[in-house]
């Protein structure tokens, strides 16, 4: 079945540590996105990528980094510069087309130890 | 200004009744798309319904319909015959323009509880 796989489901970060969240899709979608969700707030865009080897910052990119070396994969690294990383992280993808919706993974809950 | 506004933090509805979840949007782009997503406690975002800015008819998908009032810039979600499984967070979202890379803007969500 086609879909988006995020791993791990739960992740814990120590002070000063970088952690990487995985996102893999087998939908052959061009565009991929990372969103952060905090309680009581909507989804906020961290980074997005339209094609391989290209990505753009979203509204809250500081303290995060991404790569897009393969069409299927768009990993997100939460660096030590992100001082408040505790949140639910959602990866999404979509195909070209005006009405094309976002497909989402099941999310990763990141907490700070 | 907020691109998407959802003014109902929480809503309750009796099972089998209909419920309307409000959403207003703000854009000056004539080309845009409006989406509703459901997020159960498991966390995954589930697509429900889509309305394009040039669509003449209100979108419908099974028990979901979108009440699109372009002049008022509102895109309310109507759920008919509510079921217990409809209890979840609901998010309204908008994408401006047709470029694949254009970002989606999300509202803060409405928590819906269906009462037996």
């Amino acid at each position: 079945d086609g879909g988006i796989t995020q791993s791990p489901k739960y992740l814990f970060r120590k002070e000063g540590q970088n952690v990487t969240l995985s996102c893999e899709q087998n939908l052959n979608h061009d565009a991929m996105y990372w969103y952060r969700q905090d309680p009581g707030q909507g989804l906020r865009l961290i980074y997005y990528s339209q094609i391989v080897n290209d990505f753009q910052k979203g509204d809250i990119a500081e303290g995060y980094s991404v790569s897009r070396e393969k069409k299927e994969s768009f990993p997100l690294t939460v660096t030590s510069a992100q001082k408040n990383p505790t949140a639910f992280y959602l990866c999404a993808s979509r195909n070209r087309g005006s009405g094309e919706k976002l497909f989402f993974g099941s999310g990763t809950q990141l907490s700070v130890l | 200004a907020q691109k998407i506004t959802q003014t109902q933090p929480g809503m309750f509805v009796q099972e089998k009744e209909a419920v309307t979840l409000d959403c207003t949007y703000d854009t000056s782009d004539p080309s845009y798309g409006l989406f509703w997503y459901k997020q159960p406690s498991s966390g995954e975002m589930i697509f429900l319904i889509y309305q394009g800015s040039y669509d003449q008819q209100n979108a419908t998908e099974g028990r979901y319909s979108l009440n699109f009032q372009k002049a008022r810039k509102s895109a309310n979600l109507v759920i008919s015959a509510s079921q217990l499984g409809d209890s979840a967070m609901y998010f309204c979202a908008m994408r401006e323009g047709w470029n694949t890379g254009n970002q989606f803007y999300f509202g803060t969500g409405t928590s819906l509880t269906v009462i037996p």
Side-chain angles (χ1 to χ4, degrees):
Chain A
D1 288 341
I4 300 177
T5 301
Q6 286 188 245
S7 62
K9 190 166 181 62
Y10 301 96
L11 187 58
F12 297 91
R13 194 192 89 167
K14 295 180 181 179
E15 292 288 337
Q17 186 182 41
N18 293 352
V19 292
T20 297
L21 285 61
S22 171
C23 178
E24 302 278 334
Q25 55 102 355
N26 60 5
L27 300 166
N28 200 33
H29 286 171
D30 295 305
M32 297 188 72
Y33 305 75
W34 273 106
Y35 287 92
R36 170 176 171 146
Q37 186 178 21
D38 294 281
Q41 297 192 35
L43 278 65
R44 292 183 292 168
L45 182 65
I46 305 172
Y47 269 98
Y48 68 98
S49 168
Q50 297 186 62
I51 56 172
V52 173
N53 293 323
D54 184 61
F55 46 82
Q56 286 80 41
K57 293 182 179 179
D59 299 321
I60 55 166
E62 186 173 351
Y64 301 97
S65 66
V66 293
S67 64
R68 187 91 185 273
E69 297 177 1
K70 299 185 302 181
K71 188 176 185 178
E72 303 80 17
S73 179
F74 192 41
L76 173 73
T77 297
V78 184
T79 74
S80 56
Q82 174 49 246
K83 298 306 180 187
N84 184 23
T86 296
F88 188 61
Y89 291 84
L90 283 160
C91 179
S93 71
R94 67 182 286 256
N95 217 341
R96 296 183 182 275
S98 60
E100 289 297 323
K101 58 185 178 289
L102 286 171
F103 289 78
F104 284 88
S106 55
T108 294
Q109 176 64 49
L110 175 63
S111 302
V112 176
L113 290 175
Chain B
Q2 293 289 330
K3 289 283 188 181
I4 294 288
T5 302
Q6 294 181 255
T7 58
Q8 306 155 313
M11 291 280 287
F12 292 87
V13 64
Q14 204 75 36
E15 193 178 6
K16 300 180 184 177
E17 297 291 313
V19 63
T20 298
L21 306 183
D22 294 341
C23 172
T24 57
Y25 59 92
D26 181 32
T27 182
S28 57
D29 194 322
S31 302
Y32 54 89
L34 297 159
F35 303 76
W36 277 92
Y37 285 86
K38 171 184 177 182
Q39 187 179 41
S41 57
S42 60
E44 185 171 358
M45 298 283 280
I46 301 167
F47 167 75
L48 296 178
I49 197 165
Y50 163 79
Q51 180 87 40
S53 59
Y54 296 113
D55 293 344
Q56 296 295 315
Q57 303 282 344
N58 284 347
T60 60
E61 291 283 351
R63 295 187 298 112
Y64 305 107
S65 60
L66 199 152
N67 185 359
F68 182 43
Q69 299 190 36
K70 198 169 183 176
R72 292 187 175 185
K73 293 188 175 179
S74 76
N76 298 340
L77 177 71
V78 180
I79 305 174
S80 63
S82 296
Q83 301 172 356
L84 296 178
D86 293 336
S87 293
M89 285 290 292
Y90 289 81
F91 291 93
C92 179
M94 175 180 67
R95 190 206 67 251
E96 293 175 314
W98 300 143
N99 190 311
T100 301
N102 288 357
Q103 68 165 302
F104 285 61
Y105 299 94
F106 286 83
T108 53
T110 295
S111 176
L112 177 67
T113 302
V114 180
I115 304 167

